[in-house]
Amino acid sequence: MLIRIVFSLLLLMSPLARAQETFTVLFLGDSLTEGLGLEPDQAFPNLIAERLRTEGYGHINVINAGISGSTSASARERMQWYVRSEPDLVILALGANDGLRGLTVENMKLNLASAIEIALANDVRVALTGMLTPPNMGPEYTSEFAQVFPDLAAEYDLPLMPFLLQDVAAIPELNQADGIHPNLAGSRIVAENVYQFLIPLLPY
């Protein structure tokens, strides 16, 4: 009887058992994350969730916390709210609307840093997705904006996906009529790129 109990405890402590514990990934973003203009199951976090299920990652729980129109100004308050649900990993994907509205780069960096610090203080891991802004904002603004994300990743030692819309941005056939939000084909490409970024961050 004692041997059986000890064996059971060892099994529970094994890497395989730990890997099968629920691991929650929360995507904190804006309309790009929410999937504006798409069906709910076509947003890139939802496509990732479905792929994780089909590929045997049933213990990975994905939460799509994208809200259309959000800027980095919402990051701190939203992070404070979502850490209550105790996610294991937050993919922070804010900043696109700051760039489109020409909001100050300094404030965006402070907002994102504040959200990151809240997550880390609550033992929640953070990964960051970078964003670029249209060239019509001017070369200085465009350059300073793009640099925020690698700077934050370096400062807080975070995994960084350099550009969320890699292989999709500015390609008409992969975007909706507004030229900003991916269509279904574009969303699938974003999902593939983010999936490849995400997999090494998950427990085995």
Side-chain angles (χ1 to χ4, degrees):
M1 182 67 172
L2 179 59
I3 294 175
R4 185 178 301 171
I5 293 172
V6 171
F7 179 78
S8 297
L9 289 172
L10 289 173
L11 184 61
L12 288 172
M13 293 170 64
S14 71
L16 178 60
R18 289 196 301 271
Q20 295 307 309
E21 295 175 359
T22 299
F23 185 95
T24 298
V25 180
L26 187 142
F27 287 85
L28 183 58
D30 47 39
S31 57
L32 297 172
T33 301
E34 184 184 39
L36 184 69
L38 301 171
E39 295 298 321
D41 62 352
Q42 296 173 346
F44 79 83
N46 304 51
L47 293 174
I48 290 172
E50 177 59 27
R51 181 169 176 181
L52 288 169
R53 284 192 294 270
T54 61
E55 297 196 357
Y57 293 91
H59 58 293
I60 306 298
N61 178 38
V62 173
I63 298 175
N64 184 341
I67 298 178
S68 293
S70 295
T71 67
S72 68
S74 71
R76 177 183 176 87
E77 182 178 351
R78 290 172 68 193
M79 189 69 80
Q80 286 177 322
W81 173 261
Y82 282 115
V83 295
R84 299 177 185 178
S85 63
E86 300 183 346
D88 296 284
L89 173 65
V90 170
I91 308 295
L92 185 56
L94 284 169
N97 287 318
D98 295 68
L100 289 174
R101 299 175 190 180
L103 303 180
T104 67
V105 172
E106 182 181 3
N107 283 346
M108 181 180 76
K109 186 173 183 179
L110 290 172
N111 291 334
L112 294 175
S114 180
I116 291 166
E117 290 173 3
I118 289 170
L120 297 178
N122 285 273
D123 296 321
V124 177
R125 294 163 54 196
V126 179
L128 194 60
T129 65
M131 184 52 59
L132 302 176
T133 194
N136 64 314
M137 302 305 296
E140 183 177 356
Y141 183 90
T142 300
S143 176
E144 291 178 355
F145 181 95
Q147 191 58 40
V148 165
F149 303 96
D151 284 353
L152 287 172
E155 181 177 352
Y156 293 99
D157 193 23
L158 307 178
L160 171 67
M161 178 179 177
F163 183 33
L164 178 64
L165 297 179
Q166 177 186 338
D167 305 323
V168 174
I171 302 177
E173 58 268 30
L174 297 178
N175 288 278
Q176 299 177 44
D178 62 10
I180 297 172
H181 296 91
N183 57 25
L184 178 55
S187 185
R188 286 174 173 155
I189 293 172
V190 175
E192 171 64 24
N193 291 337
V194 177
Y195 182 85
Q196 297 303 327
F197 171 65
L198 177 62
I199 284 297
L201 307 179
L202 300 178
Y204 291 100

